[in-house]
Amino acid sequence: MNSLPPLERQWVLLRTLSARRFRATVKELAEDLGTSLKTIRCDLDLLKGLGFPISPHGGAHGRNHWVAEFDSSAPPLTFDVSEVLALYLGRTLLEPLTGTLIWESHHSAFHKIKATLKEPVIDYLGQLQGLVFRTTFRNSVYQNKSEIIDSLMIGIEERRITFLTYHSARSTEPLTYDVYPYGLVFHRGSLYLVAHSQQHDQIRTFKLDRVEDVQLETLKFQKPPDFDLQTYLQHSLGVFHVEGEPQRVVVRFSQEVARYVTEHRWHDRQSLTQQSDGTLLVEFSLTSLEELKSWVLSFGSQALVEEPEQLREQIQEELEQMVTAYQLTNANFTSACQTRNANHPQSH
C-alpha cells in the first residue's frame, strides 16, 4: 500500500482508526499502510488540524497511541424509518462510484444504520425495496474503473497534473493527454471529467467510459480561482461547453407532449410558456446546440424549433438524411427478400 496517493491514504487512515476498538501507535499505522513514520505523523497532524475527532494519548515508554473518538456529550445520531428509506433510495445515486472508497464507506455506513433497527423495520424496508426499481437504460457501469475514479478524485482535490489515456469515439487508438482535472459531472447515467487539456490549450470534456488509464504527477497546477462547474456549464444543455455569446433558442412542443415537457427540468434557466392553442414554448440561452439538436429530434414531429434558423436548418438536414437512410435500408431489405424467395420458394 506504499503507493497510495495522499488523499486515499488519509481516507484509509481515518477508516482504520475508526474501526479499531483499541488505540494504535504511529508505528502500527505505518506498518498497516505500508509507509513511513514521518508520513503517518504528517497525515495525523493534518487530519487533526482539519477538525477530525482523532487525538493522541500517552502510552508505555512515552509512545503516543492515536484513537478516533467522537464527543460523548454530542447527541447520538438517530434516524426514523422515512429517513433511513431516503438514505437507502439515495444509494442508487452513488452506483456509478461502485467499487471506490466512497461507495465502500457509504455501504458500510448504511449497514451500521440498518444494524440499529428492529426486525419489523428491516422487514418493512425489505418490502419497500421492491417497490422502487431503477432501470439500467443508458447507465454506465464503472465497477472496473474504481482505481481510475479514485485517482481522478485525488487529482481534482490535490490539483495534480494528470496524464490521461483516452480513446475517443472518433480515434482509432487511445491517446495520452496532459490535463489539469477540474471536476466530475454526472449526466444522463454517465460521469464526465472536465479538465484543461494542454495539447488543446482549452478546457475539454472527457467521458469516463473512454478513459483507459490515469497517471498522477507530483507536480501541481494552478486552478483558476473563479472557475466553477455550474457556471461553466450554465449555457449548455448537458456537459459540452462552447465558447462564445449565448443565443436565444425557442422550441415549440405540441399539445400531446406539452405536459410531459413541463414535468421535467431540462435546464436551470429554462423558460416555459403555455400557449392558448395548447402548445408549449420552451426557451433557453445556449452556446452549444449539438445536445439540444439530439433532444429536439427525440420528440420527433412533436417538437419544432422556431429559433435560431441555424438550428432549424441543421435539424431539417438531419431529417432528410434519416429519410434517405430508411429508404436505402428498405430497398436493400426488399431486394434481399426477393432474392431469397427466388432461390428458396418454400422458405418462410
Side-chain angles (χ1 to χ4, degrees):
M1 296 183 66
N2 54 352
S3 61
L4 282 180
L7 186 62
E8 186 174 350
R9 185 183 65 245
Q10 291 154 11
W11 186 294
V12 174
L13 180 59
L14 283 173
R15 191 169 61 180
T16 301
L17 287 174
S18 299
R20 281 178 177 253
R21 293 183 57 191
F22 305 101
R23 299 164 184 173
T25 65
V26 171
K27 182 179 179 181
E28 291 170 339
L29 294 171
E31 291 175 350
D32 285 348
L33 274 72
T35 189
S36 67
L37 300 177
K38 180 180 178 181
T39 298
I40 292 296
R41 289 193 182 98
C42 291
D43 287 342
L44 291 169
D45 289 340
L46 172 65
L47 294 171
K48 188 175 185 298
L50 291 173
F52 285 97
I54 61 174
S55 58
H57 293 267
H61 310 294
R63 290 181 299 179
N64 283 332
H65 290 69
W66 286 79
V67 63
E69 52 187 3
F70 292 91
D71 186 359
S72 58
S73 63
L77 292 175
T78 57
F79 301 94
D80 61 29
V81 173
S82 65
E83 291 169 334
V84 172
L85 177 60
L87 289 173
Y88 182 83
L89 297 179
R91 297 173 70 206
T92 58
L93 299 177
L94 286 178
E95 284 181 359
L97 302 181
T98 297
T100 67
L101 285 171
I102 292 178
W103 168 260
E104 291 173 4
S105 296
H106 177 269
H107 190 65
S108 174
F110 178 78
H111 277 281
K112 289 180 180 178
I113 294 173
K114 189 176 178 181
T116 65
L117 302 176
K118 296 181 180 180
E119 199 64 35
V121 176
I122 295 176
D123 292 341
Y124 177 67
L125 288 176
Q127 295 174 23
L128 290 179
Q129 178 181 349
L131 299 180
V132 180
F133 173 71
R134 179 181 177 181
T135 68
T136 57
F137 181 74
R138 200 177 176 174
N139 281 345
S140 295
V141 179
Y142 296 122
Q143 280 89 340
N144 297 328
K145 293 185 178 288
S146 59
E147 292 184 7
I148 287 177
I149 294 175
D150 288 338
S151 296
L152 287 176
M153 287 184 169
I154 292 166
I156 294 167
E157 179 70 21
E158 300 184 357
R159 300 183 180 181
R160 291 168 61 177
I161 296 175
T162 302
F163 286 103
L164 196 75
T165 302
Y166 189 75
H167 196 165
S168 70
R170 298 178 180 177
S171 64
T172 57
E173 59 184 19
L175 299 174
T176 299
Y177 299 96
D178 180 3
V179 303
Y180 300 168
Y182 287 171
L184 292 172
V185 179
F186 185 55
H187 176 63
R188 301 187 71 175
S190 298
L191 282 169
Y192 296 82
L193 172 70
V194 175
H196 187 279
S197 170
Q198 294 297 93
Q199 282 82 353
H200 302 97
D201 193 26
Q202 63 180 197
I203 299 176
R204 286 291 184 99
T205 301
F206 301 89
K207 191 175 184 181
L208 206 63
D209 306 61
R210 300 168 186 163
V211 177
E212 297 189 356
D213 188 45
V214 171
Q215 295 295 327
L216 298 177
E217 295 293 297
T218 56
L219 295 175
K220 305 288 185 75
F221 65 85
Q222 291 294 324
K223 181 180 177 180
D226 58 346
F227 181 84
D228 174 75
L229 276 176
Q230 185 174 0
T231 303
Y232 175 74
L233 295 173
Q234 65 180 333
H235 294 299
S236 302
L237 198 71
V239 294
F240 297 106
H241 172 86
V242 175
E243 294 292 341
E245 288 297 318
Q247 54 185 317
R248 183 170 179 257
V249 177
V250 182
V251 183
R252 182 183 295 272
F253 291 91
S254 70
Q255 186 175 359
E256 286 75 11
V257 298
R259 181 176 178 182
Y260 171 81
V261 175
T262 58
E263 290 172 345
H264 299 77
R265 186 167 187 82
W266 308 97
H267 193 271
D268 287 340
R269 301 186 180 184
Q270 66 184 26
S271 173
L272 280 65
T273 307
Q274 196 74 47
Q275 303 298 296
S276 58
D277 61 357
T279 61
L280 179 73
L281 286 184
V282 180
E283 297 184 34
F284 303 107
S285 179
L286 305 173
T287 55
S288 173
L289 301 180
E290 190 61 33
E291 290 173 290
L292 178 73
K293 183 176 73 173
S294 300
W295 179 64
V296 171
L297 285 169
S298 69
F299 288 91
S301 62
Q302 306 298 325
L304 177 67
V305 173
E306 297 196 349
E307 297 181 41
E309 185 62 30
Q310 169 195 358
L311 183 58
R312 286 175 58 90
E313 294 173 355
Q314 289 179 3
I315 290 182
Q316 183 175 347
E317 181 181 351
E318 184 78 22
L319 291 173
E320 291 172 352
Q321 292 176 357
M322 288 175 63
V323 170
T324 301
Y326 269 92
Q327 289 174 339
L328 289 175
T329 301
N330 287 336
N332 293 338
F333 178 78
T334 301
S335 175
C337 289
Q338 291 173 344
T339 302
R340 185 189 63 183
N341 292 335
N343 296 332
H344 306 281
Q346 300 301 321
S347 63
H348 298 280

